[in-house]
Amino acid sequence: MEPQEEGLTIPNHLEEFRSALLRALLGLGAAIVVSLFFTSRLIDFLARPIGGLEKLQAIEVTETVSVYMRVALLAGFILASPWIFYQLFGYLAKGLKAEERSRVLVAVPFAVLFFAAGAAFAYIIMLPSALNFFAQFLGVQTLFRIKSYFSFVTDLIFWIGVSFELPLLVFVLARIGIVNASMLIKGWRAAVVVIAVLAAVITPTADPVNMAIFMLPLFGLYLLSIGLAALAGKKRAAAEQEQET
């Protein structure tokens, strides 16, 4: 069946986006409720790099509750990520034919895999390096508050996980025809600047070592994005040629 979205107006597209966003939020809400049952174990796991919960301290009355809900929110997003990515890519593929749309939706499991890889990279590599930097800075003994520690950890895992989605997002946009490989190649200098800015914003410390730890894989992902954009461009051109004949 051919897509019916070709003749949609801007209000129709906004309505489609609103519906996709609402479905994604409902799935996220359900996943957060489920995650509440194992959040305590996840908190213990996230506290391992600092030496366990006993190494942290709470000052405010509601501090531990806010930490619990913050970790539950991250766990809920990870749990609901397949559904959220399905809604995102499904909306982006609205203007494609049925067979093309199915190919774009194949990116959903890869989106989950890339996010998981980014989260693991943040937890295994970046987090210990950042904690070591903070603990030894100026040679002053550092006592970590539970609220600031988990805010730092959850932000780091979430944003680096999201940044690892770049190749798949570029692939989908190239498949639709919004970007192409030559455009990405010509803009590599601007990409380096953007990556450096993102590294400065996302990384917990401003020292060049931690920034490089983040910039190198992200630039590698940008190079991978060029290859995926070229692949998507060839598939799009072949499909258009087949349609013309």
Side-chain angles (χ1 to χ4, degrees), residues 16-243:
E16 288 285 344
F17 177 75
R18 187 192 68 82
S19 299
L21 181 61
L22 178 60
R23 290 191 294 268
L25 290 176
L26 289 175
L28 176 61
I32 291 174
V33 172
V34 173
S35 70
L36 291 174
F37 293 97
F38 59 86
T39 298
S40 295
R41 283 176 287 180
L42 183 57
I43 288 176
D44 291 334
F45 175 76
L46 294 178
R48 288 180 185 177
I50 200 67
L53 287 174
E54 60 273 13
K55 298 294 184 179
L56 302 171
Q57 57 181 343
I59 297 177
E60 300 174 2
V61 175
T62 60
E63 197 164 345
T64 53
V65 176
S66 64
V67 165
Y68 192 92
M69 296 307 300
R70 188 180 187 90
V71 175
L73 179 60
L74 176 64
F77 178 84
I78 295 174
L79 190 63
S81 59
W83 174 250
I84 294 173
F85 291 134
Y86 175 79
Q87 296 300 324
L88 173 63
F89 289 135
Y91 172 75
L92 292 176
K94 287 288 186 179
L96 301 177
K97 293 182 178 180
E99 61 272 15
E100 294 176 326
R101 186 182 308 174
S102 63
R103 292 169 187 167
V104 170
L105 292 179
V106 170
V108 172
F110 290 98
V112 177
L113 181 62
F114 273 65
F115 183 88
F121 175 78
Y123 180 81
I124 297 173
I125 297 178
M126 293 199 66
L127 182 57
S129 174
L131 291 176
N132 183 64
F133 175 86
F134 283 129
Q136 298 182 4
F137 190 72
L138 294 180
V140 177
Q141 182 183 8
T142 304
L143 300 176
F144 293 95
R145 285 181 57 185
I146 186 172
K147 183 177 182 180
S148 61
Y149 174 79
F150 278 99
S151 295
F152 159 66
V153 171
T154 53
D155 284 346
L156 190 67
I157 291 176
F158 176 78
W159 287 112
I160 293 181
V162 169
S163 69
F164 269 57
E165 299 296 327
L166 176 64
L168 280 177
L169 180 60
V170 170
F171 175 82
V172 173
L173 294 177
R175 193 69 182 85
I176 298 173
I178 297 178
V179 299
N180 55 61
S182 61
M183 182 188 304
L184 297 176
I185 294 174
K186 293 178 181 177
W188 72 269
R189 293 180 180 85
V192 171
V193 174
V194 172
I195 289 172
V197 172
L198 287 175
V201 173
I202 296 175
T203 51
T205 65
D207 65 290
V209 175
N210 277 299
M211 288 185 62
I213 290 174
F214 178 68
M215 288 181 63
L216 289 177
L218 192 57
F219 189 73
L221 292 172
Y222 183 79
L223 297 178
L224 177 61
S225 300
I226 295 176
L228 291 176
L231 177 62
K234 290 181 180 180
K235 290 181 176 294
R236 180 178 177 83
E240 290 177 351
Q241 185 178 4
E242 181 180 352
Q243 184 177 6

